[in-house]
Amino acid sequence: MSLVHINIFLAFTVSLVGLLMYRSHLMSSLLCLEGMMLSLFVMATMVVLNTHFTLASMMPIILLVFAACEAALGLSLLVMVSNTYGVDHVQNLNLLQC
Amino acid sequence: MNMFSSLMLASLSVLTLPIMSSILNTHKNSTYPHHVKNIISYAFITSLIPTMMFIHSGQETIISNWHWMTIQTLKLSLSFKLDYFSMIFVPVALFVTWSIMEFSLWYMHSDPYITRFFKYLLTFLITMMILVTANNLFQLFIGWEGVGIMSFLLIGWWYGRTDANTAALQAILYNRIGDIGFIMAMAWFLFNANTWDLQQIFMLDPNLTNLPLLGLLLAATGKSAQFGLHPWLPSAMEGPTPVSALLHSSTMVVAGVFLLIRFHPLMENNKTIQSLTLCLGAITTLFTAICALTQNDIKKIIAFSTSSQLGLMIVTIGINQPYLAFLHICTHAFFKAMLFMCSGSIIHSLNDEQDIRKMGGLFNAMPFTTTSLIIGSLALTGMPFLTGFYSKDLIIETANTSYTNAWALLMTLIATSLTAVYSTRIIFFALLGQPRFLPLTTINENNPFLINSIKRLLIGSIFAGFFISNNIYPTTIPEMTMPIYMKLTALTVTILGFTLALELSLITQNLKLEHPTNMFKFSNLLGYYPTIMHRLPPLASLSMSQKSASLLLDSIWLENILPKSISQFQMKTSILISTQKGQIKLYFLSFLITLTLSMLLFNLHE
């Protein structure tokens, strides 16, 4: 694998670990989700452009659209939590109630 | 060419003169009621001449004057049918109305709007005449609706009283339900016989007449207060006594029976409808006689008596004897109007007291009224050779000897004996015994208007049956031979009713008042029919319509089906199946470790 691929793959892994291990703010998890999406996008675009796989050049754009939707969903959940508690500390989510 | 049609038309058209004079405003003077009474007496005398011509020669006439309009193939014109039924009914009705007008000169003397009262009574009489002389259904319907409207105006005469307004509205509503049947019959005749003329309908003799005759039966149920549409008649006693005497005993309520009599050529071929009328009349006559047994208002007892006699007329039509029913209409008018006028005399003399528990001892205080009340009651129950005998006894005899429904016959016989019972009750409570009214009395029956009017109807109650029966031509042959027990049935049950009622009244006169039994409550509250039917169906239909309009459409279909049901379902199931405690970091960490381990295993596995 070339160095560029390793670089981007490493960026993806760092964002994944950052998504799954965080201290207290839910917002950091969402930010890492965005980072994952970004690295995936760059990786997909580079592969498609290097191999001249023109038919698949739609894929990164569709990926972007769906990622926007999921970011909106995540942000709405964050807003719900923030409405109830004021801050988005993860240790508040222990009541099983909206 | 004789004066038959001219005299009859003259007699009918002089009745409209006082109405015309109200346009010229000559009706504001105080002698207008006397003019009206005089004009009705002239019309009566004028109408006697064509009637005598008819009796002498059997001449029947149809007068067709004015062609109003032709709607495609339907020709509507103004036509009068002067046959057996109208020629005998018109003088009888005019005679009874003349006496009632004279009576109301005394009864409504202190009323400030007495001229309007007389105008209303006259308009009612004109519409009733239109009804009985109509040759086509359209003109009959005009008269039909006219008597309904005048009934409304006259029942609600004292409109400041809530009960009077309710009773007037009740009369209109029940009559309207009957009118649906009338219009259905008219529509059927329009479609199947292409006409509203009685002659053409009888000539065509249509085959399947179930539907129009059912419609006419419904119309008769509404107008003549048969069972099912009967509560308006006792409620109509809220009107003044002359109104009760004219409309609700002699003329208006017989309009339904008259309609069925007019259609007797169609009815004699339809056995189903005959059985239906027989059973309806039998139920009515028994039910209303039971209800009359425990009423305490003298006018209501007489109203139920009217209803029971109407049921008897319907029974007579049901055994295919229209001419006997018509004879009963004519004879019944005399004594029923007189009974109402006597009760009006009693009410006025006791200072507007209508409860029979507060009357008594009038036998010596009001001898003339007592005489006429007793004679009227005897005529009503069919005492031999008074007026009622000639029609009522013939009806019972014919019913006994005809091939008819035994249950309906039994009901009619029981109702006949109950007639005697409640008549005895009226006489016992109102006339006999010691007075139960207040000592300061205003009993005065010395007014010539009162005495002359009741005297005329008294002579009519005694002799009219004999007079009419001897002078009409024979129609259906009554049964001549029957066993002696059948011949004496009506008399026996009547005497039984009299003795029973008198004995019971005398024995229980001084007993302590107990709590009413269930039978008493059934009879006193009119069989619970008004209580149930005036409350339950309106409540059910209104609440059902409100629920379907607001709850069903708005609340259920727009709100609850998709949005709220989805959110509630999600919340319930998530609470049900989640066992988590919200330890997000633990879950994410375990996910990461699993991922790392699986990566390592996949890559380092040989």
Side-chain angles (χ1 to χ4, degrees), chain A residues 5-6 10-12 21 32 36 44 47 52 54 59 61-62 66 70-72 74 82 86-87:
Chain A
H5 288 151
I6 292 182
L10 211 57
F12 176 78
M21 286 171 53
C32 290
M36 277 169 67
V47 164
H52 298 288
T54 332
M59 182 252 182
I61 299 184
I62 296 181
F66 281 120
E70 89 183 66
S82 179
V87 289

Side-chain angles (χ1 to χ4, degrees), chain B residues 204-252:
Chain B
L204 286 177
D205 197 15
N207 275 338
L208 301 170
T209 50
N210 270 337
L211 198 60
L213 288 178
L214 264 180
L216 292 178
L217 187 62
L218 182 64
T221 313
K223 189 65 91 173
S224 295
Q226 298 303 302
F227 182 74
L229 298 177
H230 65 279
W232 69 269
L233 190 54
S235 303
M237 297 297 120
E238 293 286 334
T241 308
V243 169
S244 305
L246 185 57
L247 272 72
H248 305 119
S249 61
S250 329
T251 27
M252 176 179 134

